[in-house]
Amino acid sequence: MSAAGEPRYLFLGVGGMGMAPLACWMSSAGYSITGHDACLQEEVRQHLEASGVTLRDFVFPEQLGEFTTVVYSSAVRAGHPVLDAARSLGLDCLRRGEMLARMAEGLRLVAVIGSHGKTTTTGMIAYALQRQGIEANYILGGLFADTSLAPSRYSKSPWLVAEIDESDGTIENFSPEHTLVLNLDWDHADYYGKAAQLETAFTDLSLRTRQTVLLPDGMDLKGLDEAKVVRYASSPEQDFNTNNARAAFAALACVSNNLPEDVLEDFPGIARRQELLLDREGLTVIEDYAHHPTEIGALMQNLRERASSRQLLVVFQPHRFSRTRQFKEGFAATLSEADACYLLPVYAAHEPLVEGGELADMVDVFKDSEPVVLESGLAGLKQVNQAAMSRPALLAFIGAGDIEDFAAASVALLREPDSVDGACLGFLEERLSPEAKIKLNEPLANKTTMRIGGPARIYAEPASFADLQQLLKAAQLFALDYFCIGRGSNLLVADEGFDGLVIRFSAPAWRRVETLGAGRIWAAAGGRLKEICGFAAKAGLAGFEFLEGIPGAVGGALRMNAGAMGSWMFDVVERVQFIDANGHYQDWPREKFHFGYRRVEEISRGIALGAVLKSPESEEESSIRSRIDSYSTTRKESQPRGPSAGCIFKNPEGSYAGKLIDEHGLKGMRVGAAEVSAVHGNFIVNQGGATAGDVIELVRRIRAKVKAESGYDLEPEVLLVGRSWPEVLKEGADV
């Protein structure tokens, strides 16, 4: 914890490959670092936590008073509510490169720049220094392939080795001691409209370099003082890693002399750079981060040599619409060297659609052989794997987006070709946190308030938002339907269970409730409504008392706008955090939602994650507790105590379901062990051993009786999981 007055940093997008190493380094250096990322990978999380970074699944504008500086990645979109609020509050808001430049001030920076190979070369330099016991700081822009090696290292040494990203223009903030230039190819057309602009950025950095500029043979940057230029051997005839190693040795000479020639002999490599995913008789699978035609061309040459007489299959995911438009002809030319080329949809990286940069535009420029466009799900996985298994092959997944997930899913399915479920679990094994739970064929009856139902085909309890994101990615890749539960009220699980993935918000992170100030609290999706009611009372916040009588969790209450005692959930909602129907994280004010009876449209099609709740007024805790006790007494007197799902039917317009059931003498009606409550007619109680079939048949009989004698159609309110009410009610009508 930083002392009062010391800077406190919030990293937005802390899981990014540039952000995470910087956050780790700053935390190790003693700075107070808190990080948030909606798509945090498990391996990155482990590095961040090992460095002392505090991680939060959710961050809100109301919490910005805790920080002095916000550092954000290029993946944070314009209009991000926290970033906008930070700016309006006058907080220092820095891009990743700007923050790194500040940290580099006063240090002897060895800057590694280039269009290709920066992370690998920086990793080589860092690895060699560590292996030789030479004290130096380093900050990578990626992860070592060896997960035991940290992506950054803090030292009291004056030396700092860091790769400098040119993509967003922050390169202009650096004035290195030494600069290592690897290569120069036009890229990032969204920022550098012309190749000359990128060359100028490299030249200007070299001009600001205080001592040595290391250039590869054959490269010239205009205006440099030749007295500070040192050349190192580099040849287009050599593979990238040979040239990277030569560059690394040139930079190492600036820090230390007489390094042994074999210092990089066992260099473990960088993750996602020609990473071997599977190697068995007849099939080798690799993944590589290449996303520029020059990189892909060099990679294809290497892959062709490795493939030898085997077929070379390539799956490519273009990265950004602007880059696809800029390089589509180059991509097509290099990828055509494969025996078969498969294309995944363009990874947008939060970039808006650019005319001429869509996948169809790239397909159109292939000349000799047309690529195969893949679905980014199970059908696409099976299509690629079938080709890879047809005869000996080298299968390569190439791209800088999320193709690593598709590649990992492909390998999982290759290992478990006869079991999609087994492949799914294999895919998730290294992606979920150790605290997460995942099982096959898990019974659901004991996870619902009605104590009825069959098993979930796959059952999971995510321990964090990052775990949830991985589960949803797996569901998309392996074509699994999913359903989310909290406490399990307002649910009836079919006897057959649920043929898909059931996600339960029961871990501590999903039951968090915290004060945001100014009469506001935040509650996560798995928080029990009764506990939130008590939390609010203790804080002197009135208006939440009605929640005491709702036997559910926040997520379900938001989904259906649950109510009791004349009040409704959205009476106290200010904002809701949820994943929408397209899989995107949203933070919406209550006014944006559309309400139906016991249904909030947008949340019903997505996943509620939590909500900011606001009290209409403050009050003494004793007064609030008095109302809670009164509501509790009323509830106990008017509702059954046995296992139930809550109200089974919606109230029809002009009447009440419970009243109609009572008037027609249906209290006590029973099918098997399912019985209409004698206390409240709109409850069906499990008297011990009831099945979903019992409840469904009882619902049919109640509906038929009420319809015949009053004309009212009673519609089920309880969600039927694993079947659908129209389906099962039609079955009854057809009998």
Side-chain angles (χ1 to χ4, degrees):
M1 179 69 72
S2 293
E6 292 187 0
R8 300 175 304 280
Y9 297 88
L10 171 63
F11 274 58
L12 294 178
V14 73
M17 288 300 100
M19 293 282 282
L22 176 59
C24 288
W25 186 88
M26 289 180 64
S27 181
S28 298
Y31 293 96
S32 173
I33 309 295
T34 297
H36 163 74
D37 198 303
C39 301
L40 189 63
Q41 297 178 13
E42 174 58 19
E43 183 181 345
V44 176
R45 182 192 68 81
Q46 292 178 12
H47 284 301
L48 289 165
E49 290 191 341
S51 298
V53 175
T54 299
L55 295 174
R56 293 187 183 177
D57 281 345
F58 302 95
V59 176
F60 304 107
E62 292 88 347
Q63 297 169 317
L64 286 172
E66 303 174 31
F67 307 104
T68 60
T69 304
V70 174
V71 184
Y72 62 98
S73 79
S74 57
V76 175
R77 291 173 287 181
H80 190 288
V82 174
L83 187 57
D84 284 353
R87 286 175 171 146
S88 68
L89 290 171
L91 271 63
D92 207 5
C93 296
L94 303 174
R95 291 175 290 175
R96 180 259 182 190
E98 292 167 331
M99 186 74 257
L100 176 58
R102 286 196 184 182
M103 292 295 102
E105 291 176 2
L107 295 175
R108 303 183 70 182
L109 173 64
V110 178
V112 181
I113 66 171
S115 299
H116 327 290
K118 291 188 294 293
T119 304
T120 298
T121 305
T122 307
M124 287 176 168
I125 298 168
Y127 181 79
L129 292 171
Q130 283 194 94
R131 185 176 175 188
Q132 293 305 114
I134 299 170
E135 283 293 309
N137 296 275
Y138 70 81
I139 301 174
L140 302 188
L143 304 179
F144 284 108
D146 181 348
T147 57
S148 68
L149 297 175
S152 64
R153 181 173 185 267
Y154 170 74
S155 166
K156 292 185 178 180
S157 164
W159 288 102
L160 169 62
V161 179
E163 64 176 277
I164 308 303
D165 178 25
E166 75 281 2
S167 66
D168 60 359
T170 54
I171 188 173
E172 67 187 20
N173 294 283
F174 294 87
S175 297
E177 186 88 359
H178 303 280
T179 294
L180 171 62
V181 184
L182 301 176
N183 40 59
L184 175 58
D185 277 312
W186 183 33
D187 198 355
H188 313 296
D190 56 323
Y191 190 87
Y192 302 100
K194 298 179 180 179
Q197 293 173 331
L198 179 59
E199 182 176 352
T200 297
F202 278 33
T203 299
D204 288 348
L205 179 73
S206 299
L207 290 171
R208 292 193 302 273
T209 300
R210 292 188 291 271
Q211 291 197 39
T212 308
V213 178
L214 303 163
L215 291 179
D217 287 340
M219 175 184 277
D220 288 303
L221 293 175
K222 297 176 183 178
L224 286 188
D225 180 359
E226 283 297 321
K228 67 177 183 180
V229 172
V230 173
R231 301 279 176 181
Y232 64 89
S234 180
S235 169
E237 304 301 319
Q238 295 288 343
D239 64 73
F240 263 133
N241 275 343
T242 298
N243 286 328
N244 289 339
R246 289 173 175 173
F249 270 103
L252 285 163
C254 297
V255 180
S256 178
N257 294 318
N258 302 319
L259 288 172
E261 293 184 1
D262 64 351
V263 70
L264 294 176
E265 189 174 63
D266 55 356
F267 174 62
I270 298 295
R272 300 191 67 185
R273 273 64 170 185
Q274 297 191 44
E275 185 170 357
L276 184 65
L277 303 182
L278 181 69
D279 193 16
R280 67 189 189 196
E281 186 176 355
L283 180 61
T284 300
V285 182
I286 73 155
E287 193 236 334
D288 194 90
Y289 190 74
H291 53 283
H292 186 283
T294 301
E295 297 167 346
I296 296 172
L299 176 64
M300 291 296 292
Q301 182 178 350
N302 177 276
L303 294 178
R304 177 55 74 187
E305 292 175 1
R306 290 175 64 176
S308 185
S309 61
R310 294 178 293 173
Q311 61 172 336
L312 175 58
L313 309 178
V314 168
V315 181
F316 177 63
Q317 181 190 49
H319 184 259
R320 292 183 176 270
F321 297 113
S322 57
R323 183 180 281 119
T324 304
R325 180 180 65 179
Q326 180 183 1
F327 293 128
K328 56 192 173 189
E329 288 84 3
F331 288 143
T334 55
L335 294 169
S336 293
E337 297 174 17
D339 295 310
C341 175
Y342 301 86
L343 298 179
L344 288 169
V346 177
Y347 184 80
H350 304 293
E351 184 182 57
L353 188 65
V354 174
E355 185 177 354
E358 296 183 68
L359 190 64
D361 299 307
M362 182 172 161
V363 171
D364 287 344
V365 299
F366 275 77
K367 295 179 180 178
D368 298 327
S369 58
E370 186 171 321
V372 178
V373 176
L374 293 174
E375 294 180 23
S376 55
L378 187 59
L381 291 169
K382 288 183 174 180
Q383 190 173 357
V384 168
N385 286 6
Q386 184 177 7
M389 295 298 292
S390 64
R391 58 190 177 91
L394 190 158
L395 172 60
F397 295 89
I398 302 173
D402 60 0
I403 191 172
E404 62 177 321
D405 293 329
F406 192 84
S410 169
V411 170
L413 203 55
L414 285 166
R415 288 182 171 136
E416 293 274 3
D418 300 321
S419 173
V420 170
D421 294 356
C424 181
L425 263 62
F427 170 82
L428 288 168
E429 185 177 4
E430 295 183 358
R431 283 170 161 72
L432 295 178
S433 67
E435 296 78 19
K437 298 178 182 178
I438 187 161
K439 301 176 182 178
L440 296 179
N441 299 313
E442 175 72 4
L444 294 176
N446 63 350
K447 297 171 178 62
T448 71
T449 57
M450 202 166 195
R451 300 293 186 261
I452 288 175
R457 177 176 156 191
I458 302 178
Y459 170 83
E461 295 179 8
S464 65
F465 187 31
D467 282 341
L468 174 62
Q469 294 282 52
Q470 292 296 335
L471 290 167
L472 296 178
K473 170 60 73 172
Q476 180 258 315
L477 286 167
F478 293 99
L480 296 170
D481 290 332
Y482 63 85
F483 189 84
C484 298
I485 63 174
R487 192 180 173 198
S489 62
N490 200 50
L491 297 178
L492 174 63
V493 178
D495 293 322
E496 303 92 328
F498 184 73
D499 186 22
L501 170 65
V502 170
I503 301 170
R504 188 182 185 209
F505 294 113
S506 58
W510 295 107
R511 297 183 65 175
R512 281 177 50 212
V513 184
E514 56 188 79
T515 302
L516 296 180
R520 294 175 176 84
I521 61 176
W522 179 76
R528 294 192 175 188
L529 299 176
K530 186 171 183 176
E531 293 174 359
I532 292 165
C533 177
F535 182 92
K538 189 173 182 179
L541 301 177
F544 298 91
E545 297 87 321
F546 72 97
L547 296 176
E548 189 280 337
I550 305 175
V554 171
L558 292 169
R559 178 190 178 101
M560 64 180 296
N561 192 21
M565 307 300 174
S567 296
W568 302 90
M569 185 67 184
F570 269 76
D571 291 344
V572 294
V573 165
E574 185 171 88
R575 300 199 314 275
V576 177
Q577 298 74 48
F578 70 107
I579 294 175
D580 66 20
N582 297 316
H584 300 140
Y585 174 82
Q586 303 288 356
D587 187 343
W588 281 10
R590 68 182 303 278
E591 294 77 19
K592 289 190 70 172
F593 293 97
H594 297 84
F595 302 91
Y597 181 87
R598 297 295 200 200
R599 178 181 173 89
V600 180
E601 294 298 330
E602 293 81 4
I603 298 175
S604 294
R605 296 194 296 267
I607 302 173
L609 303 172
V612 176
L613 310 176
K614 190 174 190 309
S615 168
E617 58 183 339
S618 298
E619 199 173 322
E620 290 294 327
E621 181 180 357
S622 58
S623 298
I624 298 172
R625 293 283 182 189
S626 177
R627 280 196 299 277
I628 291 173
D629 292 342
S630 174
Y631 288 164
S632 177
T633 299
T634 300
R635 177 178 58 83
K636 290 175 181 177
E637 292 174 350
S638 62
Q639 295 180 9
R641 304 295 295 273
S644 76
C647 289
I648 200 79
F649 294 107
K650 300 175 183 177
N651 287 325
E653 188 173 351
S655 190
Y656 297 94
K659 178 174 178 289
L660 291 168
I661 292 168
D662 192 7
E663 288 176 347
H664 296 296
L666 298 176
K667 283 184 175 179
M669 178 183 279
R670 184 166 179 150
V671 174
E675 180 179 272
V676 178
S677 169
V679 179
H680 192 307
N682 202 16
F683 282 70
I684 292 178
V685 178
N686 177 4
Q687 297 292 13
T691 66
D694 293 340
V695 176
I696 290 168
E697 178 56 30
L698 189 52
V699 166
R700 291 186 187 124
R701 294 182 186 183
I702 295 168
R703 280 168 46 86
K705 180 78 169 176
V706 171
K707 175 68 173 177
E709 297 190 8
S710 70
Y712 281 104
D713 282 312
L714 292 183
E715 295 298 325
E717 177 178 314
V718 167
L719 296 173
L720 180 57
V721 179
R723 302 285 301 276
S724 72
W725 281 116
E727 175 190 8
V728 298
L729 294 178
K730 184 177 185 300
E731 288 175 358
D734 292 340
V735 174

